[in-house]
Amino acid sequence: MSHTAHIRSHRKPRRSASSLAMRAGVAGGVLGTLAVAGAAGSASAAEPVTQTLELPTLTADLAAQAAQSADATQQAAANYQLQAERDAAAANAAKQAKADLADAKQKAAEAKKKAEEAARKAAAERASRSTARTTLAASVSSDGTGSTSAGTSSSTATGSAAAVVSFVKSQLGKAYVSGATGPSAYDCSGLVQTAFKQVGVSLPRVSQDQSTAGTQVSLSNLQPGDILYWGGAGSAYHVAVYVGGGMFVGAQNPSDGVAEHPLSYDQPTGAVRVL
C-alpha cells in the first residue's frame, strides 16, 4: 500500500450532467424571479410619471380660476364706473334743477312786476273813464230829454256831421250781422264805414283801424259825428257814432241790432274825429 493512500485527494469530483441541468434550472428560476421583481420595481418607479400627467389638469383649473377672478375684477370695475356715471348724472341734474329754479323765480318776479304795472294802468284808466263819465253826466240836460250834448247839441250839427248822424239814425232797428255793411243789416264797423261813405269819407273796414283813423278827442269834448270806440286805440273791439245829447248809435249785437243808447249804457274808452 502506498504511503499516501490514506490521504484524500483535493481534486473536486466531476459534476454530472444532471446536476448541471438542475443548477441551470435553479439559476433560471432565480433570474426569472429577479426579472419579475425588476418589472414590478419598474412599474413602481413609473408611478411618479402617472402623477406628473395630472399637472395639466391642475394648471387648467388654476387658469379657469384666474379667468374667473379677472372677470369678477372687470365686472367690479364696470360697476364702479357705472356708479360714478350715475353720481355724475345726479350731480348735473341737481345743478340744472337749481338753475331752473332760479330762472323760474326770476320769471315769476318779472311776471308779478308786469301784473302790478298792468293793474296800475287799469286803475288809472278806470279813474279817467269815471271822471269822463261824471263830466258827461253833468253836461247832459237835467230834464232827461238829451236835448243838450257834451259839447254840442245834435240839433246844431251841420254839414257832413249832420249827414252822418242822420244816416245812422235812419238805420235804427235794423239787424246786427257780423261782417255786414248794409243796407238791411250791419255789424258795428260796417255801420260806421257806410255812414261816413255817405259824405265821401273812406274809413278802414274794422274797428281796430277805425279807432285810429282820425284825431283823438277826449270824451268830455265830444261833437256829433265823432267815432266812439271801446278797447284800446288800435285794438278796439267795438265802434259807434256819437249823435249828440249824450247819446250814440251803433250796431250793438244780434239781440239789440242797430240801437241808440246813452253813453252811460256802456262807457266808451275813447273817441276820434274825422270830420
Side-chain angles (χ1 to χ4, degrees), residues 151-241:
T152 304
S153 171
S154 59
S155 62
T156 62
T158 59
S160 298
V164 169
V165 171
S166 177
F167 177 82
V168 294
K169 285 190 173 184
S170 69
Q171 307 304 306
L172 290 172
K174 290 188 177 180
Y176 173 96
V177 176
S178 178
T181 58
S184 59
Y186 300 90
D187 63 10
C188 64
S189 56
L191 175 64
V192 173
Q193 183 187 51
T194 304
F196 279 85
K197 188 180 293 184
Q198 308 306 308
V199 295
V201 176
S202 179
L203 292 178
R205 174 64 185 86
V206 296
S207 58
Q208 292 92 329
D209 296 332
Q210 290 177 3
S211 65
T212 60
T215 302
Q216 295 286 329
V217 295
S218 67
L219 296 178
S220 61
N221 192 33
L222 292 175
Q223 294 180 4
D226 288 345
I227 299 174
L228 304 175
Y229 62 84
W230 285 256
S235 60
Y237 58 86
H238 183 63
V239 289
V241 176

Side-chain angles (χ1 to χ4, degrees), residues 238-267:
H238 183 63
V239 289
V241 176
Y242 181 69
V243 297
M247 307 293 289
F248 68 88
V249 173
Q252 292 300 107
N253 50 58
S255 59
D256 285 353
V258 179
E260 185 175 14
H261 293 289
L263 292 172
S264 60
Y265 170 79
D266 186 9
Q267 180 70 26

Side-chain angles (χ1 to χ4, degrees), residues 54-142:
E54 296 178 358
L55 290 177
T57 303
L58 295 175
T59 302
D61 292 340
L62 291 175
Q65 293 177 1
Q68 292 177 355
S69 177
D71 291 341
T73 301
Q74 184 176 1
Q75 183 62 42
N79 291 338
Y80 290 145
Q81 181 178 1
L82 179 60
Q83 186 62 42
E85 291 174 354
R86 289 176 177 173
D87 293 342
N92 290 336
K95 183 178 179 180
Q96 185 62 42
K98 185 176 180 180
D100 292 342
L101 179 60
D103 185 57
K105 288 182 178 179
Q106 182 179 357
K107 290 182 178 179
E110 292 175 354
K112 182 179 180 181
K113 184 177 180 181
K114 290 181 179 179
E116 291 174 350
E117 183 64 23
R120 283 194 294 269
K121 289 182 179 180
E125 184 178 351
R126 285 195 299 269
S128 176
R129 291 174 64 179
S130 178
T131 301
R133 186 182 297 111
T134 301
T135 302
L136 287 171
S139 64
V140 175
S141 175
S142 60

